[in-house]
Amino acid sequence: MKTTATLWRAGYAANRFASSSSSELHNLYTNVPLQKLLSSSGLHDSVTDDRKGLSRVLEACRISKDFRTVAKTHARVIVLGYRTYPSLVASLISTYGHLRHNHITQKVIDWVLRSDPDLFTMNLIIESIMKTGECDIAKKVFNKMPARNVVSWNLMIGGYMKKSRFHYAIGLFKEMLSSEIEPDGFTFASMITGCARLGALSYAERVHNLMIEKGIELNYILISALIDMYANCGRIKVARELFEGARRDDVSVWNAMINGLATHGLALDAFEVFSRMKMENICPDSITFIGILTACSHCGLVEEGRRYFNLMQTCFSIQPRLEHYGAMVDLLGRSGLLEEAYAMIKEMPMKPDVVIWRALLSACRTHRKKELGEIAISNITHTECGDYVLLSNMYCSLNKWDSSEKVRHVMRMGGVRKIRGKSWIELGGTIHQFKAGHKSHAEIKAIYRVLEGLVQRAKLEGFKPLTELVLMDVSEEEKEENLSYHSEKLALAYGILKSSPGTEIRIWKNLRICQDCHSLMRIVSRVLNRVIIVRDRIRFHHFEGGLCSCGDHW
């Protein structure tokens, strides 16, 4: 009887909660009769498993943006005695924040803090909110915490890193350094990862120097991360020095070095490191072979790729995974062996994933294989903008403008937008970002002036804009103008404008560098006697003396 009455009151509370104003919601949240209701042990015992169900409801509400159901669920959380349960509190805070009910979000946060939770509970709340991806809401909770420890800071910094919000993570790390809390190995692991993803060399060097200053012990995890960081910041020689001076008794250290060399297109060096593993009694694992096969793909070494693919099975009893098949399909596709790549896909012992079909589709675009490209895209169940763009561009390259327009129409109808290319360059500890046709930079007039001068000088040296890459049915003049203002060209011009003659220029790009930009940078590196390093989505390109480390194979 007591349980029935309690459930009736819970239903009444839920209905009232759903129709309440913000002030009434606050009153309900601190309602004294409801606090008495929570003492019903029979009810509490019978709904112990409800917490997972309530979490699932709140997650569904975040997606559907159903505020009324959130309010009802919130009332049920209160009545069932779960309002101090960290994961549910975090779900409520992140859901209200996601639905932009900031006043209620703030009230829930304030109530939690008034209940005087311990630091462990607050850290659990921060962790749970970060898992939902609501970094800004987690930051609000973090800012209001009366006390923090190194775990609190690590959860925030790591959360920002996972969401690729590197500038926020770096800013928070600076705040941490000015606090009384000392960073630990986990803090530095997050920062190293962020510097690697961002390619920010000056930050990377500061973080490494700080680790040395604070005497952080370098275990195999941190050593691997440091090697990866310097490789991704364009300093493969420094990565190699770290590798040579480190303990190498864990395979992850070797994998970091091999993958770093592969990203820089140094396949022969990667093979040499691999051969040393046997001498030092380190057995390669599946990740080792992903790095080796990637190195083969970046250098067009088909025979070597086939050999290592067979070696992993015959000598090391490592069964190929999707990633290994993907690397082989990529290698064969880039080398123009599309029928062999397709045959490998059909013979795979497991179902090919979207990455493998996209590798084939990309190769079909490069080698203009329309029929096979259509097969590839028909097998991509969740088509994204890049897939449509590849197919559309393939039709354009074959002058099939009607087919291309049909693909673009499907994109428009489905609300699919093309990912815009962006490039960034780090100068003086500041990262400057550019998009194609960018005009908002404070020095854009000078940048355009430098770029136009570079293009004209390059033309005197034999540079010819590859207007066929502009896949639109427009005039040659319009195509050439479209090519001239790609984001990596703007970044290059800014680097030349702001740096001293002879200094190295490092550029990062979120997409694959186009052939026209690649051709221009080769010539500029020779004309200006500059080393230009470009890290695109796939790999590094080192331009020096008119040549590129990729050997024009990427």
Side-chain angles (χ1 to χ4, degrees):
M1 191 72 175
K2 183 177 181 180
T3 301
T4 302
T6 304
L7 289 173
W8 180 87
R9 293 180 195 178
Y12 170 76
N15 289 327
R16 181 181 166 197
F17 206 104
S19 58
S20 295
S21 64
S22 59
S23 60
E24 289 172 324
L25 288 172
H26 176 60
N27 291 337
L28 178 61
Y29 200 79
T30 56
N31 190 290
V32 175
L34 281 176
Q35 290 175 337
K36 292 179 180 178
L37 277 175
L38 301 181
S39 64
S40 174
S41 59
L43 175 63
H44 188 273
D45 292 340
S46 66
V47 294
T48 301
D49 295 332
D50 276 5
R51 293 193 295 261
K52 291 182 180 179
L54 292 168
S55 293
R56 286 194 292 269
V57 170
L58 289 169
E59 175 59 27
C61 290
R62 288 182 75 252
I63 297 170
S64 64
K65 300 184 179 180
D66 183 355
F67 172 69
R68 185 176 180 83
T69 303
V70 176
K72 288 182 178 181
T73 307
H74 188 170
R76 187 162 179 78
V77 168
I78 296 170
V79 173
L80 297 180
Y82 298 145
R83 60 179 176 178
T84 58
Y85 195 76
S87 65
L88 281 176
V89 170
S91 292
L92 284 167
I93 291 171
S94 63
T95 301
Y96 279 128
H98 186 74
L99 299 182
R100 300 186 183 279
H101 287 281
N102 297 327
H103 54 294
I104 306 177
T105 305
Q106 198 60 57
K107 288 183 182 300
V108 178
I109 294 171
D110 291 343
W111 184 88
V112 170
L113 293 171
R114 281 201 303 273
S115 66
D116 195 25
D118 57 31
L119 191 51
F120 178 77
T121 299
M122 289 304 300
N123 286 339
L124 284 177
I125 291 172
I126 291 284
E127 182 180 25
S128 297
I129 295 173
M130 275 298 190
K131 284 180 179 177
T132 68
E134 300 291 346
C135 300
D136 294 334
I137 297 170
K139 186 66 159 60
K140 288 181 180 179
V141 178
F142 178 80
N143 287 341
K144 282 184 167 285
M145 288 173 64
R148 304 164 186 154
N149 60 10
V150 68
V151 176
S152 315
W153 289 92
N154 287 348
L155 288 169
M156 289 299 304
I157 292 170
Y160 275 125
M161 288 297 184
K162 287 176 183 175
K163 294 298 291 183
S164 299
R165 299 179 67 175
F166 306 118
H167 295 289
Y168 291 90
I170 290 170
L172 205 57
F173 179 66
K174 289 178 180 177
E175 282 184 45
M176 183 183 187
L177 294 178
S178 62
S179 73
E180 297 179 355
I181 305 297
E182 283 289 314
D184 61 10
F186 292 102
T187 320
F188 283 109
S190 290
M191 289 305 302
I192 290 168
T193 301
C195 291
R197 293 278 299 279
L198 194 58
L201 180 62
S202 63
Y203 288 121
E205 290 173 334
R206 284 182 216 165
V207 168
H208 190 191
N209 289 334
L210 197 59
M211 290 174 67
I212 297 170
E213 179 187 317
K214 293 186 176 295
I216 299 295
E217 184 180 353
L218 295 181
N219 56 27
Y220 71 90
I221 296 173
L222 287 174
I223 282 290
S224 303
L226 282 169
I227 291 169
D228 180 68
M229 177 184 75
Y230 278 111
N232 277 287
C233 288
R235 287 289 187 262
I236 192 66
K237 290 182 180 178
V238 178
R240 191 70 185 257
E241 289 169 5
L242 275 169
F243 172 76
E244 296 297 346
R247 285 185 58 183
R248 299 186 295 272
D249 52 1
D250 191 275
V251 68
S252 63
V253 178
W254 295 83
N255 290 345
M257 191 68 254
I258 289 172
N259 276 286
L261 292 167
T263 306
H264 283 263
L266 300 172
L268 297 181
D269 290 344
F271 298 161
E272 182 266 331
V273 171
F274 179 83
S275 67
R276 285 175 56 189
M277 294 181 75
K278 184 177 180 180
M279 297 166 55
E280 298 193 26
N281 296 317
I282 302 295
C283 187
D285 60 12
S286 62
I287 296 173
T288 314
F289 282 98
I290 291 172
I292 288 292
L293 293 175
T294 300
C296 294
S297 179
H298 285 169
C299 297
L301 302 176
V302 177
E303 289 305 318
E304 289 82 353
R306 289 177 180 141
R307 183 169 67 84
Y308 280 108
F309 187 76
N310 293 326
L311 188 70
M312 66 183 286
Q313 301 171 73
T314 56
C315 291
F316 297 98
S317 299
I318 298 174
Q319 291 304 310
R321 297 177 357 200
L322 272 170
E323 295 87 348
H324 301 104
Y325 281 106
M328 284 301 297
V329 169
D330 189 56
L331 167 60
L332 295 169
R334 289 175 188 274
S335 302
L337 303 172
L338 277 79
E339 293 301 331
E340 185 178 344
Y342 184 43
M344 175 169 275
I345 292 174
K346 290 191 291 184
E347 292 169 5
M348 285 171 52
M350 73 283 287
K351 184 178 180 181
D353 66 355
V354 66
V355 176
I356 288 176
W357 287 115
R358 281 178 182 149
L360 182 63
L361 177 60
S362 179
C364 290
R365 154 71 185 93
T366 301
H367 297 285
R368 302 184 181 186
K369 297 289 185 180
K370 178 177 72 70
E371 292 79 10
L372 200 50
E374 290 171 342
I375 291 173
I377 204 164
S378 69
N379 282 280
I380 299 175
T381 53
H382 299 289
T383 316
E384 296 181 359
C385 64
D387 309 318
Y388 287 115
V389 171
L390 280 172
L391 187 63
S392 173
N393 289 352
M394 181 166 57
Y395 284 133
C396 288
S397 67
L398 297 169
N399 294 326
K400 294 183 178 294
W401 305 110
D402 290 342
S403 298
S404 174
E405 179 53 35
K406 286 178 182 177
V407 175
R408 298 284 176 167
H409 177 71
V410 171
M411 291 177 67
R412 288 192 295 270
M413 294 300 292
V416 180
R417 295 184 178 181
K418 181 180 177 181
I419 297 174
R420 291 192 65 184
K422 60 182 178 181
S423 301
W424 57 97
I425 183 169
E426 183 189 10
L427 291 169
T430 302
I431 294 173
H432 300 265
Q433 184 172 291
F434 299 91
K435 294 180 180 178
H438 190 121
K439 293 184 178 179
S440 61
H441 195 280
E443 298 182 76
I444 196 62
K445 289 184 179 179
I447 293 170
Y448 273 48
R449 191 162 54 247
V450 169
L451 180 54
E452 288 163 5
L454 285 175
V455 172
Q456 291 305 315
R457 188 167 177 184
K459 284 181 177 179
L460 295 175
E461 298 292 327
F463 172 66
K464 294 181 179 180
L466 300 175
T467 53
E468 66 268 21
L469 296 176
V470 182
L471 303 171
M472 297 181 292
D473 195 10
V474 295
S475 69
E476 289 298 305
E477 290 78 9
E478 288 176 292
K479 287 185 177 183
E480 187 169 331
E481 183 178 351
N482 182 283
L483 284 170
S484 296
Y485 303 113
H486 280 187
S487 62
E488 56 266 56
K489 288 191 179 83
L490 294 173
L492 172 65
Y494 187 68
I496 290 170
L497 176 67
K498 305 301 288 187
S499 62
S500 303
T503 56
E504 182 180 281
I505 296 174
R506 295 186 308 278
I507 299 167
W508 277 258
K509 182 177 171 64
N510 67 326
L511 302 176
R512 186 180 174 189
I513 186 173
C514 80
Q515 288 174 290
D516 187 77
C517 292
H518 192 274
S519 178
L520 178 70
M521 290 189 186
R522 275 199 296 103
I523 293 175
V524 170
S525 72
R526 174 169 53 83
V527 170
L528 298 186
N529 193 26
R530 291 276 196 124
V531 173
I532 303 169
I533 299 175
V534 178
R535 171 63 157 103
D536 69 4
R537 185 178 60 85
I538 304 296
R539 57 166 297 158
F540 274 94
H541 298 265
H542 293 248
F543 301 95
E544 186 172 5
L547 300 174
C548 180
S549 60
C550 74
D552 292 340
H553 182 95
W554 82 100

